[in-house]
Each structure stands twice: as structure tokens, then as C-alpha cells.
Amino acid sequence: MIEGLVVKSYGKLCNVKVNNFIYKCEVRGKYKLSNKFSNPVVSGDKVEISITDKNNGVVENILERKNYFAKESIRDKKGHLIGSNIDQTLIIFSIKNPYTKLIFLDKCLLSSIFFDIKPIIVFNKVDLLNDDEIIKLDKISFEYKKAGFDVISISAKYQIRLDDIKSKLIDKRTLILGNSGVGKSTLINQLSPYSQQRISDISQKTGKGKQTTTFSEIIKINKNSLIIDTPGFKDFNLYLIDKSDVKYQYPEFNKFFDRCKFSNCSHINEPGCAVKKQIGNNIWEKRYNNYLGIIEGYS
Ligand code: GDP
Ligand code: ZN
């Protein structure tokens, strides 16, 4: 058996890179019926494969993941893996064309924190904004920075502030999140000299026909920086995060938590809640209201 890196995953199939060669692999039976995840293997996984012929192999073992990002699968209540062994998420967002609700950003942020991954917020398409919209975005950025997040505003298309992003990617494996149309492909093409020949495209040499759904794919930025590109999703259900865990995934709540009267305070309608007292001060009302929306989504 040899060790490799999953660079593209699509259901029970994946492309595994070993040195500079890509093997198209199927997953060994024991992994097919995972009751945790709907997709057994994902880009970023370290795996051991046995080679069956020149271009093909079988994934025999999936090595332990440092971490992963997952959402709830639509088909069943299992997890749907998006990427694994990740240092940070880059959450691409736009407030115009398309407009996306901030609650989606909040879900990406709290999931990242829950899965032990540092999130970075990227507002794309700043070139499209008029004066009023710039003021609106400045306010949003200000509030998220105050909450403790890294925020970068860019234009992928017109290459505004892309150096700020490049410097964040050095020596990191970065998972790209964001709904479709926000500019993920445009950004990746700007960042990667390799983007036109994505790592896994080499596999097309194997001529095994086209895959229909690609779940995620690794793209090389340079020697030590890899991006995991994911298909966009508009909304998602949180995976593995209990209703009572949500409150812990807000850095700005955590600062005041220990001053709440009740140690299990959910900051909703308990008396003596120190978090609620901070609304409009250290806690942004919109974030708090979206927190309530996320909690309501459980029942
Ligand atoms: P993806 O679905 O997230 O991969 O989005 P794409 O990269 O395909 O971009 C969707 C559309 O938005 C395309 O028409 C892009 O040209 C456009 N776009 C991407 N980035 C920008 C940007 O910074 N400014 C403007 N004005 N358009 C952009
Ligand atoms: Zn409280």
C-alpha cells in the first residue's frame, strides 16, 4: 500500500495524488457504509491505496483526520464532508450580485469555529458598490472585525487587494466556502498559476468518462499552499452542532459569558444575561438576531 492525498472527491470515488501521479480510486467496502457521513472520503484526506492497474487503485484506509468541515446531508441526517485537514476557511461573500443573507455567513463562521478551523471573511465585488452600499459594507466589516474576525474586502475581477488574500494563504491549506456566483472561480483563477490546469485534471488521461458531481477539489497555489475548492451552496443545515452548542461558537459572546447569572445561559430570555446587555455595544444586534434565527431553526 502507498500513501496519497485525495485531490478530488465525488461520492464513493476519488482521485488520489501520489508523488506526481493521479490514481482514480474506489473506496474499499468497509468505508462505503459509514453511518456518520454520506460521503466516505473527501478532498484533503490522507489515504492508503493499493494500485490495481496503471491508472486505478482502491482506497484501503482513510488516515485519521486532523479536522474536517461538514454540513448536514440533504438526503439523510448524516454529515456531508466538504473538506478535511484544513488550516482555515475563506468564506467568500458578496452583498450585491448575488445578495446573500448574513445568517449564511454566520453559519459558515460558527461551523468553522466548531470544527476547529480559523475562518476568514472575504467580501468580494466591492467594485460594484455605490456610495451607500460602501457605507453598508463598511459597517458590516466593522462589526465582524469587532467580533474578532479577519475581514478582507476585495474585487477578484479587478484584482483589488488580492495581495492581502495571498499573504493569508502562505503555508496553509484553505477551504473555500461561499454560494454560487460570489466569485470563487474568478478568485481562484487570479490566485493560482495552476488553476487552468487543476491538479486533478491530469486524471482525464485515464479517460474514464466524466463525473457528474464533484464535491470538492484541491488546487495548488504554490508549493506550500493548497486551496480546497467546493461547489457553492446557498444555505445549509449545521452538522453535529447541538442547539445548546451554538452559543459557544460566537467569540464576542464568549467574552461576557461568565458574567451571565446562569452558567448554562442561552442568552435568549434568562434574567441577568450579560451577553444580551452587550447588544448594541460589544455585540451587533444583527448577529444576535441571526443567532436567534439559527436557534429557532432547530425546533
Ligand atoms: P462562483 O460561482 O463563485 O465560482 O463565481 P464566478 O467566479 O463564476 O463568478 C460569477 C460572476 O461574477 C462572473 O460573471 C464573474 O465575472 C463575476 N465576478 C466575480 N468576481 C467579481 C468581482 O470582483 N467584481 C465583479 N463586478 N464581478 C465579479
Ligand atoms: Zn447570557
Side-chain angles (χ1 to χ4, degrees), residues 223-254:
K223 192 163 164 279
N224 295 317
S225 310
L226 295 178
I227 270 181
I228 305 183
D229 186 21
T230 61
F233 41 90
K234 263 207 175 65
D235 194 11
F236 67 104
N237 289 329
L238 303 175
Y239 172 64
L240 216 64
I241 310 173
D242 287 340
K243 188 176 177 179
S244 59
D245 283 335
V246 176
K247 59 178 178 285
Y248 300 115
Q249 320 308 326
Y250 287 72
E252 74 271 46
F253 293 8
N254 289 342

Side-chain angles (χ1 to χ4, degrees), residues 254-273:
N254 289 342
K255 280 191 215 156
F256 302 97
F257 205 178
D258 56 359
R259 296 185 216 165
C260 290
K261 188 172 171 194
F262 299 104
S263 63
N264 62 348
C265 186
S266 63
H267 323 309
I268 298 174
N269 41 30
E270 292 88 344
C273 173

